[in-house]
């Protein structure tokens, strides 16, 4: 923090008022310029018995008398300077988040035991200071100490070399959300979190990669590395990530490899895979009923049968099948879009590599996930919402089914080796799956609600959280939120969070890029971070090395030198 | 040499002035004010009326009276500090009241060369504290300065020492002297002028005054604006 006046002190100010319900008020020390005080900053209030770890939630200008405001001094006049800090001053609102007995430090300190929810407020005139590295480490843990548990996601505001860590153990205990309007860094954040999870071996990931930006290199849109390529998860963890694609041509054009091509034969699409598309396809509920009629008649071939119907004969067919003519025609018209998707094939194809059936692809994916590898499904150029909804739901439904079986087996045997690996499914544009209507039909609604009973949880990435069903939002354990402007979206992010009003301000004042508010299960208190930069330093931290470095290292090993 | 090794000149709390011979060099921290060893010529007047709250000083003949609002010091053993709040010139003989002559200054000088010896200037100063052990203590002294003691103007170094803590402004504010506002203004001006960084000092002094006028923003505003016009 820059100090604009003399008498620099580390104390930001003193507590002058406050309540448990409304938070604390601090009088800003005149040595600090109000413009340097940022909402979201992490500060420590030193009470007489406890330290209160708090966040700045609001900054407010105040004057000791109304007369000053009625006849304000000229800017930068002597009077202005004389009044500043004493008669015209800033009041800072703080929200205490955690309290810690003073003097508990070093070996004696235990995060779980000593960090307590705030049950009281500090005494009058307690001093407030900026948090230091020690404070942050005590609250959020340290990556270097327990690498597999804590993952450094960024630095607190104004504290560049300090790490705020996510507690990954807790992170995977629930479904989680990453929010923010377009261009604020959701994709980068998601990539960071996924990399942390991959490195920690805490969970396996299945990523529905709508824009093909998680697996291989993608281009950064701005910042110092603008237009440079940033590495994908496959680059960083080549042996641990499996790339699947729906659009092999796109992969070939980008000159990247893939491990598995996924195709969806018509006869493997079930009515339950179509039902969640109602909104996207604008399907009437009666159309779904019609689909069930067809399914009962033709079993696996219901969709092919429908789409092979000659439109001219729709009336006769409807009568013959006992379906409503309008509904049938509508179903036909709308589901043609499904057949038009490039990865949807009429029947199981046999290729040089052997037969590609969906069942086989899914079996492979499941095997890989069970084996601890992570699966990134690229959509290539097939970027439409219809394809994404269809595929994500269809595949997740089948995989979830397997996980349920595994989990039930584990419950029966209770043997540790039968314990399924926690699976985290990443979906983007989550409001399309989890809006109040869709949440009842998609598998994702089920997963979010069953609370990881079957070891499956979600990582939802979305720029419009207000579109997501409230009940689902309130189930999200950890929410990592970049800037949001829309009032409804801001409100949505705080669904089910008590005392959120103070944090709303903080969220609305984030920078447009690379800043996020982390809130919930995986951090002991809400915190604003400058997101860790996804770049060379990060790759290195993940164990990546350049070709030259690698050959150098291998050369040393063969020469019998220390690495 | 009681204190300080090579100060050019020093006066200590007891008012003793020492002239050091040797290299001129910045004095060390603490109270150090360069005096003039010829003390008598430095004095502006002599105490002719004394009390624990204020003194009346009579100016030396042909001497200039001290400025309203300026700092004076008096006393050798204990060096009391005061601020001048009134200056007046009257006839020496209480039975002869001056009356108007209607002459220009030049004519006056020519026609009545002896005039200045028939008049005397006196000034009144409010006591605000004393120097003790190299520090300024504000408040009223236990004993008044002695009669006929020499009164000297405070030098900048002394003023800087006095004004480190501005608590004495309240003594002036509460003194009940007429034109308190102007007196305070004069004192503030004396303080600012003794400092290098005038603007910074003005802000500091202004903040101290703002405490006095906490409930009277209009006066404060007028005061600070007047102060600013001098900067
Ligand atoms: N953690 C980060 N490290 C490096 N660059 C970042 C980071 N976060 C955001 N950026 C920059 O901001 C741009 C937009 O981020 P992105 O994740 O694509 O936004 P969103 O997915 O929310 O639309 C990126 O292209 C990149 O240049
Ligand atoms: Mg994105």
């Amino acid at each position: 923090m820059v100090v604009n006046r003399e008498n620099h002190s580390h104390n930001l100010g003193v507590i002058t008022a406050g309540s448990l319900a409304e938070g604390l008020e601090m009088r800003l020390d005149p040595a600090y310029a109000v413009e340097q005080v940022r909402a979201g900053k992490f500060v420590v209030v030193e009470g007489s018995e406890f330290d209160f770890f708090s966040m700045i939630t609001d900054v407010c200008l105040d004057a000791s008398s109304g007369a000053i405001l009625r006849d304000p001094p000229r800017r930068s006049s002597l009077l202005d300077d004389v009044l500043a800090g004493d008669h015209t001053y800033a009041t800072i609102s703080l929200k205490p988040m955690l309290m810690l007995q003073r003097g508990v430090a070093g070996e004696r300190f235990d995060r779980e035991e000593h960090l307590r929810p705030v049950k009281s407020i500090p005494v009058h005139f307690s001093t407030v200071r900026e948090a230091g590295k020690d404070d942050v480490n005590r609250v959020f843990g340290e990556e270097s100490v327990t690498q597999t548990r804590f993952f450094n996601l960024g630095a607190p505001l104004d504290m560049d070399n300090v790490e705020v860590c996510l507690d990954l153990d807790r992170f995977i205990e629930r479904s989680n959300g990453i929010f923010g309007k377009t261009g604020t860094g959701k994709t980068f954040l998601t990539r960071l979190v996924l990399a942390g999870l991959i490195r920690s071996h805490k969970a396996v990931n299945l990523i529905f990669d709508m824009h093909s930006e998680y697996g291989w290199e993608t281009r950064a849109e701005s910042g110092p590395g603008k237009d440079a390529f940033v590495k994908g998860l496959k680059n960083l963890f080549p042996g641990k990530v499996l790339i699947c694609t729906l659009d092999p041509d796109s992969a070939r054009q980008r000159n990247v490899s893939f491990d598995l091509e996924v195709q969806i034969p018509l006869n493997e699409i079930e009515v339950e895979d179509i039902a969640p598309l109602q909104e996207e396809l604008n399907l009437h509920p009666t159309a779904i009923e019609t689909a069930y009629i067809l399914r009962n008649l033709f079993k696996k071939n219901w969709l092919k049968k429908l789409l092979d119907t000659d439109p001219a004969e729709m009336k006769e067919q409807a009568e013959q099948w006992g379906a409503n003519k309008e509904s049938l025609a509508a179903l036909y018209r709308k589901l043609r879009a499904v057949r038009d998707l490039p990865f949807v094939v009429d029947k199981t194809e046999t290729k040089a590599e052997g037969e590609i059936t969906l069942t086989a692809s899914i079996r492979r994916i499941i095997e890989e996930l069970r084996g601890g590898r992570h699966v990134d499904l690229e959509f290539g150029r097939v970027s439409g919402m219809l394809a994404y909804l269809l595929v994500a739901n269809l595949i997740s439904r089948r995989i979830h089914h397997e996980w349920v079986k595994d989990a039930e087996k584990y419950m029966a045997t209770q043997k540790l080796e039968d314990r399924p690996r926690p699976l985290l499914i990443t979906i983007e544009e989550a409001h399309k799956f989890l809006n109040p209507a869709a949440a009842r039909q998609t598998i994702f609604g089920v997963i979010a609600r069953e609370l990881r009973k079957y070891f499956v949880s979600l990582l939802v990435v979305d720029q419009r959280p207000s579109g997501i069903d409230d009940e689902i939002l309130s189930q999200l354990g950890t929410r990592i939120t970049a800037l949001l402007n829309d009032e409804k979206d801001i409100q949505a992010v705080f669904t089910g969070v008590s005392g959120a009003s103070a944090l709303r301000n903080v969220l609305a004042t984030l920078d447009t890029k690379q800043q996020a508010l982390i809130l919930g299960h995986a951090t002991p208190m809400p915190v604003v971070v400058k997101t860790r930069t996804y770049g060379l330093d990060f790759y290195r931290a993940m164990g990546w090395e350049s070709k030259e470095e690698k050959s150098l290292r291998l050369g040393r090993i063969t020469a019998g030198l220390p690495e | 040499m009681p204190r300080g090794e090579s100060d050019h000149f020093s006066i200590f709390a007891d008012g003793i002035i020492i002239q050091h011979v040797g290299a001129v060099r910045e004095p060390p921290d603490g109270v150090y004010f360069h005096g003039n060893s010829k003390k008598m010529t430095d004095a502006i007047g002599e105490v002719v009326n004394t009390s624990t709250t204020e003194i009346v000083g009579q100016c030396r003949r042909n001497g200039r009276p001290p400025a309203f609002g300026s700092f004076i010091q008096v006393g050798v053993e204990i060096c009391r500090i005061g601020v001048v709040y009134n200056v007046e010139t009257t006839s020496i003989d209480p039975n002869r009241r001056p009356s108007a002559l209607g002459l220009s200054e030049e004519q006056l000088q020519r026609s009545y060369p002896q005039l200045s010896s028939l008049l005397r200037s006196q000034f009144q100063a409010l006591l605000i504290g004393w120097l003790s052990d190299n520090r300024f203590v504000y408040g009223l002294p236990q004993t008044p300065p002695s009669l006929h003691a020499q009164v000297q103007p405070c030098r900048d170094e002394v003023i800087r020492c006095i004004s480190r803590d501005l608590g004495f402004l309240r003594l002036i504010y509460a003194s009940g002297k007429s034109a308190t506002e102007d007196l305070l203004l004069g004192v503030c001006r004396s303080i600012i002028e003794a400092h290098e960084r005038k603007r910074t000092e003005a802000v500091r002094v202004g903040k101290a005054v703002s405490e006095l006028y906490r409930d009277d923003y209009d006066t404060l505003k007028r005061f600070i604006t007047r102060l600013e016009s001098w900067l």
Side-chain angles (χ1 to χ4, degrees):
Chain A
M1 182 169 289
V2 180
V3 174
N4 79 330
R5 295 177 211 282
E6 290 162 277
N7 309 324
H8 169 81
S9 74
H10 285 288
N11 287 340
L12 278 172
V14 294
I15 297 298
T16 50
S19 74
L20 204 47
E22 303 289 325
L24 305 174
E25 277 196 8
M26 173 189 96
R27 171 87 173 257
L28 183 67
D29 189 295
Y32 284 91
V34 62
E35 293 178 10
Q36 302 293 337
V37 178
R38 295 219 36 182
K41 194 178 166 59
F42 181 24
V43 298
V44 182
V45 183
E46 296 180 332
S48 67
E49 279 187 49
F50 290 93
D51 279 340
F52 294 77
F53 297 110
S54 314
M55 187 192 273
I56 293 181
T57 56
D58 203 1
V59 184
C60 170
L61 293 178
D62 250 328
S64 59
S65 105
I68 300 176
L69 305 180
R70 282 192 291 278
D71 183 12
R74 254 184 312 112
R75 277 271 281 124
S76 313
S77 63
L78 181 61
L79 183 60
D80 188 24
D81 287 351
V82 165
L83 295 176
D86 300 304
H87 299 261
T88 54
Y89 50 88
T91 307
I92 313 288
S93 306
L94 303 177
K95 185 162 172 55
M97 305 284 187
L98 285 175
M99 51 199 264
L100 167 68
Q101 183 91 44
R102 296 198 70 174
V104 177
E107 297 285 285
R108 281 180 53 226
F109 174 72
D110 177 89
R111 292 175 75 238
E112 318 283 321
E113 188 192 330
H114 291 114
L115 290 178
R116 306 230 194 93
V118 174
K119 295 268 165 57
S120 180
I121 54 172
V123 296
H124 253 107
F125 314 125
S126 295
T127 50
V128 182
R129 61 174 170 82
E130 296 180 43
K133 187 175 163 96
D134 269 7
D135 302 309
V136 179
N137 289 346
R138 277 198 286 180
V139 174
F140 298 101
E142 259 176 288
E143 189 179 62
S144 50
V145 177
T146 27
Q147 272 217 357
T148 53
R149 176 161 180 197
F150 294 109
F151 173 66
N152 165 13
L153 198 57
L157 290 186
D158 306 324
M159 299 176 76
D160 281 349
N161 296 313
V162 180
E163 348 177 311
V164 169
C165 294
L166 273 191
D167 183 338
L168 295 178
D169 281 347
R170 298 185 65 125
F171 189 76
I172 58 163
E173 277 170 6
R174 302 272 187 88
S175 286
N176 304 295
I178 293 183
F179 305 116
K181 58 177 202 169
T182 309
T184 49
K186 289 185 299 300
T187 304
F188 274 62
L189 262 169
T190 309
R191 227 187 266 121
L192 280 168
V193 171
L194 290 173
L197 284 169
I198 293 175
R199 194 193 52 177
S200 74
H201 302 280
K202 291 283 179 196
V204 286
N205 291 286
L206 169 62
I207 306 154
F208 291 101
D209 189 354
M210 190 177 210
H211 306 292
S212 309
E213 48 193 0
Y214 296 108
W216 292 110
E217 287 97 341
T218 43
R219 204 180 283 242
E221 290 156 14
S222 64
K226 180 166 159 47
D227 282 342
F229 281 90
V230 292
K231 301 211 174 294
L233 299 172
K234 180 78 172 176
N235 302 108
L236 297 183
F237 306 99
K240 290 192 198 165
V241 176
L242 187 82
I243 304 277
C244 302
T245 185
L246 290 166
D247 183 4
D249 288 343
S250 145
R252 278 180 211 114
Q253 263 169 24
R254 285 185 292 143
N255 203 15
V256 294
S257 65
F258 55 88
D259 302 288
L260 181 71
E261 179 186 345
V262 176
Q263 290 192 335
I264 300 181
L266 273 184
N267 64 7
E268 295 201 45
I269 300 179
E270 299 173 3
V271 181
E272 288 80 0
D273 298 323
I274 298 295
L277 305 178
Q278 269 184 54
E279 197 181 79
E280 191 65 26
L281 290 175
N282 207 2
L283 281 175
H284 204 261
T286 57
I288 299 296
E289 282 164 31
T290 310
Y292 277 112
I293 294 174
L294 295 180
R295 209 267 316 263
N296 290 339
L297 285 172
F298 305 110
K299 304 289 180 285
K300 282 187 76 154
N301 284 323
W302 72 275
L303 186 54
K304 184 155 166 44
K305 220 38 187 191
L306 170 72
L307 295 175
D308 285 345
T309 311
D310 183 347
E313 292 166 21
M314 204 53 82
K315 192 164 172 234
E316 294 85 83
Q317 290 293 13
E319 277 166 23
Q320 192 189 332
W321 295 340
N324 175 293
K325 193 200 110 213
E326 264 80 52
S327 288
L328 188 69
L331 193 63
Y332 170 83
R333 270 198 319 278
K334 299 206 163 133
L335 291 191
R336 264 199 328 208
V338 171
R339 179 182 238 168
D340 292 342
L341 294 170
F343 53 84
V344 172
V345 291
D346 261 17
K347 59 176 191 310
T348 312
E349 278 184 52
T350 310
K351 289 198 176 174
E353 307 91 285
E355 204 183 43
I356 315 177
T357 61
L358 177 64
T359 326
S361 308
I362 290 182
R363 204 178 314 122
R364 168 90 191 273
I365 293 175
I366 291 171
E367 284 320 306
E368 297 286 353
L369 291 172
R370 278 188 182 135
R373 294 227 281 167
H374 309 266
V375 175
D376 178 53
L377 179 61
E378 292 194 339
F379 281 67
R381 290 157 307 177
V382 198
S383 56
M385 216 45 233
L386 176 65
Y388 194 68
L389 283 171
L390 176 70
V391 173
N393 195 55
L394 185 149
I395 293 183
S396 301
R397 220 160 59 78
R398 285 156 178 75
I399 290 178
H400 177 251
H401 186 69
E402 290 299 310
W403 246 256
V404 171
K405 282 203 297 201
D406 289 357
E408 280 169 349
K409 181 173 167 211
Y410 171 56
M411 281 169 223
T413 67
Q414 301 194 350
K415 281 198 223 138
L416 208 59
E417 67 261 30
D418 286 337
R419 189 173 191 270
R421 275 178 202 277
L423 168 66
L424 195 69
I425 301 180
T426 300
I427 46 169
E428 299 192 77
E429 303 286 342
H431 65 274
K432 297 271 188 185
F433 298 92
L434 297 171
N435 60 48
R440 247 159 268 134
Q441 283 153 346
T442 61
I443 184 64
F444 300 110
V446 175
I447 295 174
R449 268 188 282 259
E450 72 194 10
L451 285 178
R452 220 182 70 98
K453 188 164 140 206
Y454 301 112
F455 297 88
V456 185
S457 53
L458 299 178
L459 179 59
V460 301
V461 183
D462 205 339
Q463 79 268 28
R464 260 202 55 212
S466 60
I468 299 177
D469 186 39
D470 275 4
E471 192 198 333
I472 303 235
L473 279 174
S474 60
Q475 306 286 15
L476 296 180
T478 306
R479 302 159 206 197
I480 305 177
T481 310
L483 178 69
L484 283 170
N485 291 134
D486 188 288
E487 201 49 51
K488 286 213 297 291
D489 287 331
I490 294 179
Q491 202 156 338
V493 167
F494 295 111
T495 308
V497 177
S498 62
S501 56
L503 293 174
R504 289 206 181 116
N505 268 328
V506 173
L507 187 52
T509 53
L510 292 179
D511 277 0
T512 51
K513 267 201 179 60
Q514 238 186 310
Q515 269 192 5
L517 171 70
I518 312 174
L519 161 89
H521 202 55
T523 52
M525 62 178 263
V527 62
V528 175
V529 294
K530 175 174 179 296
T531 315
R532 191 167 176 180
T533 296
Y534 190 85
L536 199 57
D537 287 345
F538 179 73
Y539 309 155
R540 291 238 160 85
M542 293 296 112
W544 176 86
E545 49 190 4
S546 69
K547 279 211 188 74
E548 299 78 62
E549 287 167 333
K550 191 169 182 178
S551 60
L552 213 67
R553 184 169 58 85
L554 293 178
R556 286 179 148 267
I557 293 176
T558 36
L561 294 167
E563 293 182 42
Chain B
M1 201 182 298
R3 278 174 251 208
E5 297 280 58
S6 55
D7 302 4
H8 190 40
F9 295 107
S10 348
I11 297 187
F12 293 100
D14 47 11
I16 296 167
I17 300 162
I18 296 129
Q19 180 173 13
H20 302 289
V21 211
V24 178
R25 154 180 135 189
E26 273 303 297
D29 282 351
V31 176
Y32 45 81
F33 22 96
H34 304 247
N36 189 318
S37 54
K38 286 176 237 124
K39 194 158 133 191
M40 289 300 282
T41 54
D42 206 24
I44 40 168
E46 184 179 322
V47 176
V48 293
N49 201 338
T50 181
S51 73
T52 49
T53 54
E54 51 188 88
I55 56 163
V56 178
Q58 181 163 336
C59 295
R60 294 161 66 87
R61 185 174 301 176
N62 298 326
R64 272 163 121 253
F68 176 71
S70 65
F71 288 90
I72 51 101
Q73 61 187 64
V74 56
V76 177
E77 244 125 70
I78 308 170
C79 182
R80 277 99 171 178
I81 304 292
V83 292
V84 177
Y85 73 86
N86 191 30
V87 183
E88 57 187 14
T89 302
T90 51
S91 155
I92 291 178
D93 184 348
N95 297 323
R96 292 173 63 181
R97 288 178 46 209
S99 52
L101 297 170
L103 296 174
S104 75
E105 211 155 314
E106 212 178 304
Q107 291 168 320
L108 198 64
Q109 203 58 54
R110 230 182 301 122
S111 323
Y112 298 95
Q114 79 287 19
L115 187 65
S116 65
S117 57
L118 299 175
L119 299 175
R120 66 173 177 199
S121 288
Q122 289 194 329
F123 57 90
Q124 287 160 287
L126 195 63
L127 295 177
I128 57 163
W130 65 95
L131 289 167
S132 157
D133 206 10
N134 281 0
R135 288 168 58 88
F136 172 69
V137 182
Y138 71 82
L140 298 180
Q142 286 180 315
T143 51
S146 24
L147 264 178
H148 305 294
Q150 297 299 317
V151 180
Q152 291 173 288
C154 291
R155 306 185 65 100
D156 286 354
E157 294 85 348
V158 184
I159 296 176
R160 287 201 288 271
C161 168
I162 293 168
S163 61
R164 240 172 252 166
D165 177 348
L166 294 167
F168 67 86
L169 291 180
R170 187 166 289 280
L171 293 180
I172 301 171
Y173 173 75
S175 65
K177 295 293 169 223
S178 59
T180 316
E181 189 184 319
D182 281 75
L183 176 58
L184 269 175
L185 204 56
V187 171
C188 290
R189 185 181 179 178
S190 306
I191 296 171
I192 293 166
E193 278 173 355
H195 284 79
E196 282 284 315
R197 300 168 64 190
K198 306 240 176 316
R199 170 79 190 197
T200 315
E201 192 56 19
V203 172
R204 192 176 74 93
V205 171
K207 280 183 185 291
V209 171
S210 76
E211 290 304 313
L212 306 177
Y213 292 114
R214 182 161 272 288
D215 301 321
D216 187 358
Y217 176 66
D218 289 339
T219 308
L220 176 66
K221 184 172 183 199
R222 187 173 63 232
F223 187 98
I224 301 293
T225 311
R226 287 175 72 190
L227 195 61
E228 187 174 26
S229 67
W230 282 337
L231 289 180

